[in-house]
Amino acid sequence: MRCARVLLALAALAPVVAAAQSAGEVERCFQNPAVCGQGGGQAGGGAAPAPSGGAPVAATRPAAPAPDYTTVLQSPEPDRRHIQESLRTLDKYNGPIDGNLQSEATAKAISDWQKAHGLNPAGKLTPQEAQQLNAEAAKAPIKRIEPPPQTAAAPTPSTQANADALKALQARLAERRKAAEPKAEAAAQSLIRDLKAYVAADGKGVAGDQFAAFAKWYADNKAAGRKVGEIAPIIDDYGDAKVGAAVASEILLEAKQDATSQSQCLVFAWVEGNPRKNTQAFSCDDVAGVEKWKTDQALKSAWR
């Protein structure tokens, strides 16, 4: 009976004790909020419950996307050429405008431009950088390229020596021709007299015997009813040859019929003598034939 009374007394005291603990805990939280936050104010200084799970993970920022260089590198060729032209306008590039943005010269130009603008000098452009580059070039003033001043180059010693040698040669040739002109003129006039004598004798004389081409020309015109008109010489060449003085003279032969006339140009070539030697007549168009004749005679020209 006594035990039952004791139990009843303890049961009656339990709410009072709990109330006292709650009041004490409130007072401690008010005086020291950290204690209340850490352990929930457990009586008897009990340990705070351990947090569940592992160690806390620090929050990380998302990685920035990689620069887009592919779009510009794979852009249409006109766009890539435009970029090179913009680099050239800005004095960064002087290579070919071929659209190759990955060439060493173009990549260096892009890198230099990027450095000047505080950008990553990758040597490749993002679409935004390409747009910025082209816009900057479009605003750049047009540069006037002035030609370099022309200065007369002083002749080198060898050039001056060659010029002096040429002048000396020309002077010697002029003297030789001046000395040869009377002889060449006399030889040509002697031929003209023989040609006219052949015509006057109606196709007879030494001129026809020595120059078969002239004899044929006269016979053809006579058969056509044409008469011989003017016969005019022009000296082509004159000089010493193997067997005497050699002459080459262009002769303009005129044939007339009524009010019309025809002209024939022949080159008469011979070596002076009595009679003439190595005689031959060529068409004035047969330059190779005339030059071969001179070579065969070993002609040393005093005329050229």
Side-chain angles (χ1 to χ4, degrees):
M1 190 67 179
R2 185 178 180 182
C3 290
R5 290 176 180 169
V6 171
L7 291 173
L8 290 173
L10 289 175
L13 289 173
V16 177
V17 173
Q21 288 180 342
S22 297
E25 186 174 335
V26 170
E27 183 179 356
R28 283 193 301 114
C29 286
F30 179 77
Q31 294 176 355
N32 190 356
V35 175
C36 182
Q38 291 177 355
Q42 293 184 9
S52 61
V57 178
T60 58
R61 296 174 60 185
D68 175 17
Y69 299 124
T70 305
T71 299
V72 175
L73 291 175
Q74 296 182 357
S75 61
E77 183 174 333
D79 295 345
R80 289 181 273 122
R81 288 175 177 268
H82 186 196
I83 289 172
Q84 288 178 316
E85 290 171 353
S86 296
L87 290 168
R88 176 176 290 181
T89 300
L90 298 174
D91 290 334
K92 300 295 183 183
Y93 178 71
N94 61 356
I97 305 300
D98 55 7
N100 183 7
L101 299 184
Q102 301 185 67
S103 68
E104 183 177 353
T106 306
K108 183 180 183 305
I110 292 173
S111 178
D112 291 344
W113 178 83
Q114 289 170 325
K115 287 179 183 178
H117 291 74
L119 302 171
N120 177 30
K124 298 177 286 186
L125 294 168
T126 65
Q128 295 77 13
E129 290 173 344
Q131 184 178 6
Q132 179 182 350
L133 169 66
N134 291 333
E136 180 182 347
K139 297 177 182 178
I142 299 175
K143 296 182 180 179
R144 181 185 179 90
I145 302 176
E146 298 291 345
Q150 298 293 330
T151 56
T156 61
S158 60
T159 303
Q160 188 63 45
N162 291 339
D164 293 342
L166 179 60
K167 290 181 180 179
L169 176 61
Q170 291 172 337
R172 289 196 300 270
L173 290 176
E175 289 296 324
R176 286 171 56 184
R177 176 165 179 162
K178 184 176 180 181
E181 278 179 351
K183 298 177 183 179
E185 187 65 27
Q189 290 301 325
S190 175
L191 173 65
I192 295 300
R193 288 193 294 270
D194 287 347
L195 295 177
K196 290 181 177 181
Y198 183 84
V199 173
D202 196 18
K204 295 179 182 179
V206 295
D209 297 336
Q210 293 174 349
F211 300 100
F214 172 72
K216 182 178 184 305
W217 174 84
Y218 175 79
D220 291 344
N221 281 281
K222 180 180 178 181
R226 291 186 288 267
K227 295 182 179 181
V228 177
E230 186 179 0
I231 300 177
I234 300 176
I235 305 300
D236 176 71
D237 209 344
Y238 180 88
D240 294 332
K242 290 185 294 186
V243 292
V247 187
S249 178
E250 290 185 7
I251 306 293
L252 186 64
L253 306 170
E254 183 184 32
K256 297 180 178 181
Q257 187 177 34
D258 299 329
T260 63
S261 64
Q262 295 181 352
S263 297
Q264 175 71 38
C265 180
L266 294 176
V267 176
F268 291 77
W270 70 94
V271 175
E272 280 284 83
N274 191 12
R276 299 179 183 92
K277 301 183 287 288
N278 302 339
T279 57
Q280 197 166 348
F282 306 88
S283 167
C284 289
D285 296 333
D286 189 7
V287 178
V290 175
E291 293 302 319
K292 184 178 184 303
W293 181 88
K294 295 177 185 179
T295 301
D296 293 343
Q297 310 309 313
L299 173 62
K300 296 179 181 178
S301 179
W303 210 253
R304 302 177 180 179

